[in-house]
Amino acid sequence: MRWSTDPGDQKNLVQAVNSAVSNALCNSTDSEPQIVANLVWELPRAINRIVSSGGWTLQSGGVFVHAQPFVKCNNFPDISPSSVEIGDLLLLRTEVRGEQVSNRRALLLQAKKATGFPARPDNTNQLHLYNSWPSFEYVRSTKFLNGKKRHITGLDLYDASRFLLISDHGCCHPSQPRFCHLSCHSQCCTLTASPTNPELSHYRCFISELIDFLLGDAGKAFDSPPPSRTRKWDRVIEDLRLVTAKQRSTFVGRAAGTMTGERGQGHVLFFLSGAQPATHGILRSLWMGESYMSENMNDGPPQVPANWSGEDSESGGISMIEFIITNEAKAE
C-alpha cells in the first residue's frame, strides 16, 4: 500500500533526501565503502529532522559495518573470485498503522563507481548473483552464517536487489537541489540499475528510488520474523539483521573505551546513526539498550581505510538504514 502524503510533506521529504544524498556524495574521490558510510550517517539525520503536517511520523536509524557477508554458488561464470559480497547497503522500510506493522520492504544495493552509461560491473560473479539469484552458501560470513544455504525466488527480484552506480565526478551541492523525483535528467550523479546481463538496464535516479521506497513503491516485501523453514528472501533479510546484531556486541567488546563501540579502532569499523528505531523497528536490538544516539557524539562518519580488505571472517554484518513510518490510522 502506497503511503499518502500531501504536497507539502512530499516536498519536505524530497528536500531531505536530496540534501542527504548530495552531502554523502559530494567528494568524488571517496571510495565505495566510504560513500556507504556517508549515506548511513547523512540519511537518518536528514529524515529525522522532517516535521510532518500531522497524522504520521517518520523515523530513521542506521548502522555501518565495514565487512559484508560473502556468498558462493556452484555456477559462477568465473573461477575467481570464488565468493562475492551479498551487498553493500540494505535499506529497510517498516510501516506501522494503529500499532500494528502493516508492511515491511527491503532493498539490497551493491555500490559501484561508474564513469559512464550504460555500465557493466567489473565483477561478473557479482552480476550473476543479482541477475539469477542461484542457490548460494554463506562463506566468510562469521560462524553464525557460514555454511548455511539459501535460495531467493520470486517475480520481483530486480526490485529486491539493484546496483547503486555512483558517478566518479561527484554529486551536485545541496544548495542547488535537483528534485530528481519530480524531473530527472541525464546529468543525475547517482543511479540505480537492474542487474541485467550483459549490461545493466532500467536506470533510475537514486533519489527518486529512495523517495519511492519511502512511499512504499520500491523494494520487495518481506516478513519478520520469516515463515518457519523458509530459505528465501524473508530468511536472507533475517540473516543479515541477526548477524549484524550479533557482531554489534563483538565490536563493542573489541573497541572497549572507544565511544562504546560506535566508532572502532584498527579493523573495527562500526557506528550507529540517527535515532533508536521505534518498537516495531527490526534494527532496535542494535542499540543495546541505549535510549537514543546523540548527534553530538560523533562529528561525522569515520574514515574508511583505503586499504581495507573486507575479508575478516570474524567481522561480519552489513550496513543498514531503516525507515519507520507510523500512521495513527488503524490497518484495514
Side-chain angles (χ1 to χ4, degrees), residues 300-321:
Q303 291 300 303
V304 181
N307 60 351
W308 184 273
S309 68
E311 297 182 0
D312 182 356
S313 63
E314 296 305 315
S315 297
I318 187 170
S319 298
M320 293 181 278
I321 304 174

Short mmCIF file of all heavy atoms in Angstrom, two decimals, residues 300-321:
data_model
loop_
_atom_site.label_atom_id
_atom_site.label_comp_id
_atom_site.label_asym_id
_atom_site.label_seq_id
_atom_site.Cartn_x
_atom_site.Cartn_y
_atom_site.Cartn_z
N GLY A 300 30.72 13.06 12.39
CA GLY A 300 30.55 12.55 11.04
C GLY A 300 30.98 11.10 10.97
O GLY A 300 31.46 10.53 11.95
N PRO A 301 30.79 10.49 9.82
CA PRO A 301 31.19 9.08 9.68
C PRO A 301 32.70 8.93 9.76
O PRO A 301 33.45 9.84 9.39
CB PRO A 301 30.68 8.71 8.29
CG PRO A 301 30.65 10.01 7.55
CD PRO A 301 30.25 11.04 8.57
N PRO A 302 33.18 7.80 10.27
CA PRO A 302 34.63 7.58 10.32
C PRO A 302 35.19 7.43 8.92
O PRO A 302 34.48 7.11 7.97
CB PRO A 302 34.76 6.27 11.11
CG PRO A 302 33.48 5.57 10.85
CD PRO A 302 32.43 6.63 10.77
N GLN A 303 36.47 7.67 8.79
CA GLN A 303 37.13 7.49 7.51
C GLN A 303 37.45 6.00 7.32
O GLN A 303 38.11 5.38 8.15
CB GLN A 303 38.42 8.31 7.45
CG GLN A 303 38.17 9.81 7.40
CD GLN A 303 37.35 10.22 6.20
OE1 GLN A 303 37.73 9.95 5.05
NE2 GLN A 303 36.21 10.87 6.44
N VAL A 304 36.97 5.45 6.24
CA VAL A 304 37.20 4.04 5.94
C VAL A 304 38.58 3.91 5.29
O VAL A 304 38.84 4.56 4.27
CB VAL A 304 36.12 3.49 5.00
CG1 VAL A 304 36.37 2.01 4.72
CG2 VAL A 304 34.74 3.70 5.59
N PRO A 305 39.47 3.10 5.85
CA PRO A 305 40.82 2.97 5.28
C PRO A 305 40.78 2.52 3.83
O PRO A 305 40.00 1.65 3.45
CB PRO A 305 41.48 1.90 6.16
CG PRO A 305 40.71 1.95 7.44
CD PRO A 305 39.30 2.28 7.06
N ALA A 306 41.61 3.13 3.00
CA ALA A 306 41.63 2.81 1.58
C ALA A 306 42.10 1.38 1.32
O ALA A 306 41.74 0.77 0.31
CB ALA A 306 42.53 3.79 0.83
N ASN A 307 42.91 0.85 2.23
CA ASN A 307 43.47 -0.50 2.03
C ASN A 307 42.66 -1.57 2.75
O ASN A 307 43.15 -2.68 2.98
CB ASN A 307 44.92 -0.55 2.49
CG ASN A 307 45.07 -0.21 3.98
OD1 ASN A 307 44.10 0.22 4.61
ND2 ASN A 307 46.27 -0.41 4.51
N TRP A 308 41.44 -1.26 3.15
CA TRP A 308 40.63 -2.24 3.87
C TRP A 308 40.33 -3.43 2.97
O TRP A 308 39.86 -3.27 1.84
CB TRP A 308 39.34 -1.60 4.34
CG TRP A 308 38.50 -2.53 5.18
CD1 TRP A 308 37.59 -3.43 4.73
CD2 TRP A 308 38.52 -2.65 6.59
NE1 TRP A 308 37.04 -4.11 5.77
CE2 TRP A 308 37.59 -3.65 6.93
CE3 TRP A 308 39.24 -2.02 7.60
CZ2 TRP A 308 37.35 -4.02 8.24
CZ3 TRP A 308 39.00 -2.38 8.90
CH2 TRP A 308 38.06 -3.37 9.21
N SER A 309 40.56 -4.65 3.46
CA SER A 309 40.35 -5.84 2.64
C SER A 309 38.93 -6.36 2.71
O SER A 309 38.42 -6.97 1.77
CB SER A 309 41.32 -6.96 3.08
OG SER A 309 40.99 -7.41 4.38
N GLY A 310 38.26 -6.16 3.86
CA GLY A 310 36.90 -6.66 4.00
C GLY A 310 36.80 -8.17 4.03
O GLY A 310 35.77 -8.74 3.72
N GLU A 311 37.89 -8.86 4.39
CA GLU A 311 37.90 -10.31 4.32
C GLU A 311 38.04 -10.97 5.68
O GLU A 311 38.35 -12.14 5.78
CB GLU A 311 39.04 -10.78 3.40
CG GLU A 311 38.87 -10.32 1.96
CD GLU A 311 39.96 -10.84 1.06
OE1 GLU A 311 40.84 -11.56 1.58
OE2 GLU A 311 39.94 -10.55 -0.14
N ASP A 312 37.82 -10.24 6.75
CA ASP A 312 37.91 -10.80 8.08
C ASP A 312 36.65 -11.60 8.37
O ASP A 312 35.57 -11.05 8.56
CB ASP A 312 38.07 -9.68 9.11
CG ASP A 312 38.24 -10.20 10.53
OD1 ASP A 312 38.15 -11.43 10.72
OD2 ASP A 312 38.44 -9.38 11.44
N SER A 313 36.76 -12.93 8.40
CA SER A 313 35.58 -13.79 8.56
C SER A 313 34.95 -13.64 9.93
O SER A 313 33.83 -14.10 10.15
CB SER A 313 35.97 -15.26 8.33
OG SER A 313 36.91 -15.68 9.32
N GLU A 314 35.64 -13.01 10.87
CA GLU A 314 35.08 -12.84 12.20
C GLU A 314 34.38 -11.49 12.36
O GLU A 314 33.86 -11.18 13.42
CB GLU A 314 36.20 -12.97 13.25
CG GLU A 314 36.82 -14.36 13.28
CD GLU A 314 35.79 -15.45 13.51
OE1 GLU A 314 34.93 -15.29 14.39
OE2 GLU A 314 35.84 -16.46 12.79
N SER A 315 34.40 -10.67 11.32
CA SER A 315 33.78 -9.35 11.41
C SER A 315 32.72 -9.19 10.33
O SER A 315 32.94 -8.52 9.33
CB SER A 315 34.85 -8.25 11.26
OG SER A 315 35.78 -8.34 12.31
N GLY A 316 31.61 -9.88 10.51
CA GLY A 316 30.56 -9.86 9.51
C GLY A 316 29.51 -8.83 9.81
O GLY A 316 29.58 -8.07 10.77
N GLY A 317 28.49 -8.80 8.99
CA GLY A 317 27.42 -7.84 9.13
C GLY A 317 27.30 -7.02 7.86
O GLY A 317 28.17 -7.06 6.99
N ILE A 318 26.21 -6.28 7.75
CA ILE A 318 26.00 -5.45 6.57
C ILE A 318 25.47 -4.10 7.02
O ILE A 318 24.74 -4.00 8.02
CB ILE A 318 25.02 -6.13 5.58
CG1 ILE A 318 24.95 -5.34 4.27
CG2 ILE A 318 23.64 -6.28 6.20
CD1 ILE A 318 24.19 -6.08 3.17
N SER A 319 25.84 -3.06 6.31
CA SER A 319 25.33 -1.72 6.62
C SER A 319 23.85 -1.66 6.29
O SER A 319 23.42 -2.15 5.24
CB SER A 319 26.10 -0.67 5.83
OG SER A 319 27.46 -0.68 6.18
N MET A 320 23.08 -1.03 7.19
CA MET A 320 21.63 -0.96 7.02
C MET A 320 21.11 0.41 7.41
O MET A 320 21.65 1.05 8.31
CB MET A 320 20.93 -2.02 7.87
CG MET A 320 21.19 -3.46 7.43
SD MET A 320 20.30 -4.65 8.47
CE MET A 320 21.41 -4.76 9.87
N ILE A 321 20.05 0.83 6.74
CA ILE A 321 19.29 2.01 7.15
C ILE A 321 17.83 1.61 7.19
O ILE A 321 17.31 1.05 6.21
CB ILE A 321 19.46 3.19 6.17
CG1 ILE A 321 20.94 3.54 6.00
CG2 ILE A 321 18.67 4.40 6.66
CD1 ILE A 321 21.19 4.60 4.94
#
